[in-house]
Amino acid sequence: MLDDFFIRALLAGIGLAIVAGPLGCFIVWRRLAYFGETIAHSALLGVAFAILAELDLMIGIFAAASLVVVLVYMLERQELMPIDSLLGLLSHGALALGLLTLSFFPTFRIDLHGLLFGNILAVSKQDLLVIWLGGTIAIATLLWIWKPLVAATLNEELAAVSGLHPDRTKLIFGVLLAAVVAAAIKIVGVLLIVALLIIPAVTIRPFSASPESMAVRAAVTGLAAVVGGLYLSAQIDTPTGPSIVLIALLAFVLSRLALTMFRARKPQNP
Amino acid sequence: MPQESEDKGIKLVSATNIGVNKGGRWIFRYVDLDVYEGELVYVVGANGSGKTTCIKTVLGLIACDEGSVWHAAGLEIGYVPQRIAVSPTLPITVRRMMNLAGRFAAAQIEAALEAVGLERLGDPQITTLSGGEFQRLLLARALIHKPGLLVLDEPDQGVDLAGSDALLELINKIRHDLNCGVLMISHDLDRVMEPDSDVVVLIPHEHDDPLASYAAKPVNLACSSQT
């Protein structure tokens, strides 16, 4: 069964969506979209890492992305500049350094297009192992920090006074995000990973009453988008990343249409 | 180890000559402040005198650039900030919010909500609450942990006069029920001057030189006879 490239891509995408759903909720709640982009932009530097150190591609990306997370964490406290400027600096710095380093390896045939937009043919059996193993660890870690992370999302100072260490929690969350970016590289690609984090979460927001239900529903929504997008990609031979993102976007538009119609019918009870 | 003091009981927090400097300017400076069990301490001062920064320093949220802050070991602090920005995209209900930093039985949550007069609210999303309701919810959230020290930043801000009286009465009742210390920022000088409370006055700093003006020294008014 795993010999079929489509099944491999599907399993990888499902593993990715399950982790991306809850993490995407925190991106939306805490307005961390640009933080997510910054981590994603460091992925090409990670590819260079992987080639230099002869590591697995995803491990290299995880290492580079984690490095950027730690840099953001340390520099943010210095209060040298506004956070978006800091992220812009790191994001494009990492991207430039990554591209420059990769240009030194002309003999390596790097599928840049695949890295940016995903490639359904690229998922190997080893990738599957890394994604599901890493995904299990990521979910376990997320459950472990769930309570302090939600508390810090509501208000960091309240969480700190309650002894919940919001800084430490934020750092662990960043590393989890780095793991998602690494796992996403072959399925949606670095340019579109933030869309897979954000769109399911905002799609499901109006239908959720608690952080927990929103996280689970975002995972399910993301999963549906991945399955639909991969199917579309296999059928009409399009890059996987854009296909998945478009299906997610379609789900978003349909949900808002449904919401509008529902509200129009029952104005008293929105 | 809580320190015993002959007349005041157990000391909860102690700040000695604390000051915070931001970009070369002192936000506040030369503040000494102790809070004992069951004691009410007000922090007053003009706008921009660094009241909020001062209590955040006492809480340990901001590191002080001079002086030191001491907390009694194992001290549970309940903090009610002035106003907090809550992400409108985070779905969270009133009762779920009570469980943010702990796990409490429904009866305990009910009791805490009742103490602040929110028991009839049901379980709406917190984003639908009014300013006063949200302030009370923050107080209930602090209460449920049975804090040894309650720190409040202008709790009556955005509450009308009648509501403000009720709120301060409530805080006093809590102080007696839990025998906790209360550290509170207030802008209402009439209220501050009542007996049974200590006052720490913060004066804005025009100078960085302590000798430049004797007025730069904060006054520790012990207008209390702890009865």
Side-chain angles (χ1 to χ4, degrees):
Chain A
M1 186 179 82
L2 294 179
D3 290 330
D4 184 343
F5 74 89
F6 183 70
I7 299 288
R8 285 201 303 272
L10 204 59
L11 287 175
I14 289 168
L16 173 65
I18 291 172
V19 185
L23 289 184
C25 289
F26 285 100
I27 301 257
V28 170
W29 295 334
R30 308 189 71 159
R31 300 168 193 247
L32 295 175
Y34 198 16
F35 180 56
E37 292 286 3
T38 304
I39 301 173
H41 275 88
S42 66
L44 289 183
L45 184 61
V47 175
F49 271 13
I51 292 171
L52 279 171
E54 293 179 6
L55 285 169
D56 182 85
L57 195 62
M58 283 192 281
I59 308 255
I61 295 171
F62 178 62
S66 298
L67 186 71
V68 169
V69 168
V70 173
L71 270 178
V72 172
Y73 177 80
M74 284 176 4
L75 292 174
E76 193 186 359
R77 332 180 112 209
Q78 310 290 320
E79 296 184 358
L80 300 169
M81 59 188 105
I83 181 70
D84 55 340
S85 303
L86 172 65
L87 290 176
L89 202 97
L90 287 171
S91 159
H92 300 113
L95 183 63
L97 188 61
L99 285 169
L100 206 72
T101 315
L102 284 180
S103 71
F104 286 123
F105 303 99
T107 48
F108 274 91
R109 278 190 45 82
I110 296 157
D111 176 16
L112 201 56
H113 190 269
L115 293 175
L116 292 178
F117 302 110
N119 180 358
I120 196 167
L121 298 170
V123 181
S124 68
K125 284 182 192 169
Q126 193 197 335
D127 292 340
L128 267 186
L129 185 71
V130 175
I131 287 177
W132 277 87
L133 204 66
T136 310
I137 296 171
I139 289 287
T141 311
L142 187 62
L143 287 174
W144 174 53
I145 61 166
W146 185 264
K147 188 166 216 133
L149 191 56
V150 171
T153 301
L154 188 90
N155 188 272
E156 289 202 4
E157 290 187 335
L158 283 181
V161 172
S162 299
L164 292 175
H165 306 289
D167 279 353
R168 194 177 67 191
T169 312
K170 211 159 70 175
L171 184 63
I172 297 172
F173 173 75
V175 174
L176 287 181
L177 216 51
V180 166
V181 167
I185 186 113
K186 293 194 172 162
I187 303 297
V188 287
V190 293
L191 264 189
L192 293 167
I193 171 60
V194 176
L196 185 65
L197 287 162
I198 288 177
I199 300 174
V202 292
T203 301
I204 218 64
R205 169 61 186 96
F207 309 97
S208 309
S210 74
E212 290 75 22
S213 72
M214 182 164 157
V216 171
R217 288 164 190 205
V220 173
T221 309
L223 203 142
V226 164
V227 173
L230 285 176
Y231 183 74
L232 183 73
S233 166
Q235 288 298 310
I236 58 173
D237 195 20
T238 47
T240 49
S243 315
I244 292 170
V245 171
L246 266 182
I247 296 283
L249 208 56
L250 190 69
F252 171 78
V253 172
L254 286 178
S255 77
R256 289 308 184 271
L257 279 178
L259 209 60
T260 316
M261 275 156 57
F262 182 71
R263 279 186 179 152
R265 236 192 303 155
K266 289 175 78 178
Q268 256 71 45
N269 192 7
Chain B
M1 275 292 285
Q3 289 179 6
E4 295 284 345
S5 156
E6 278 171 37
D7 49 338
K8 285 191 159 182
I10 295 169
K11 192 191 268 189
L12 303 172
V13 293
S14 177
T16 315
N17 193 34
I18 55 170
V20 169
N21 190 309
K22 201 163 190 182
R25 193 183 142 251
W26 288 95
I27 306 294
F28 71 92
R29 211 176 174 185
Y30 312 124
V31 171
D32 291 307
L33 180 158
D34 295 330
V35 185
Y36 290 84
E37 202 176 68
E39 188 186 33
L40 172 61
V41 176
Y42 281 107
V43 175
V44 297
N47 274 342
S49 59
K51 298 188 293 286
T52 297
T53 311
C54 175
I55 63 159
K56 282 185 180 175
T57 310
V58 173
L59 283 168
L61 290 172
I62 297 175
C64 45
D65 296 300
E66 64 178 23
S68 63
V69 176
W70 172 90
H71 286 193
L75 176 68
E76 179 95 39
I77 302 177
Y79 175 42
V80 182
Q82 190 171 14
R83 60 179 84 81
I84 59 170
V86 176
S87 166
T89 51
L90 177 67
I92 198 155
T93 66
V94 164
R95 270 147 224 270
R96 173 70 176 76
M97 171 130 169
M98 298 297 288
N99 266 333
L100 264 190
R103 192 178 288 272
F104 298 98
Q108 281 174 291
I109 294 176
E110 206 53 47
L113 288 174
E114 205 177 315
V116 299
L118 286 181
E119 72 278 10
R120 285 155 168 247
L121 207 58
D123 197 17
Q125 291 285 318
I126 59 166
T127 45
T128 64
L129 299 183
S130 72
E133 284 169 337
F134 190 67
Q135 210 61 29
R136 281 161 181 270
L137 177 62
L138 287 178
L139 186 57
R141 202 200 81 94
L143 281 186
I144 201 165
H145 293 270
K146 300 223 182 315
L149 174 69
L150 195 56
V151 180
L152 306 113
D153 191 345
E154 297 206 36
D156 51 344
Q157 264 276 324
V159 182
D160 60 35
L161 208 60
S164 157
D165 276 339
L167 196 64
L168 292 166
E169 213 166 278
L170 172 66
I171 290 164
N172 248 324
K173 183 178 177 303
I174 290 162
R175 175 163 68 103
H176 289 120
D177 288 353
L178 296 178
N179 192 31
C180 61
V182 175
L183 177 65
M184 176 155 57
I185 294 181
S186 180
H187 57 272
D188 186 346
L189 283 173
D190 287 343
R191 183 129 35 210
V192 162
M193 289 306 166
E194 71 195 14
D196 192 29
S197 60
D198 269 9
V199 182
V200 175
V201 183
L202 264 65
I203 292 165
H205 284 272
E206 310 299 334
H207 316 279
D208 280 345
D209 178 5
L211 300 173
S213 159
Y214 73 93
K217 198 95 177 134
V219 193
N220 254 321
L221 290 174
C223 35
S224 73
S225 50
Q226 187 105 54
T227 41

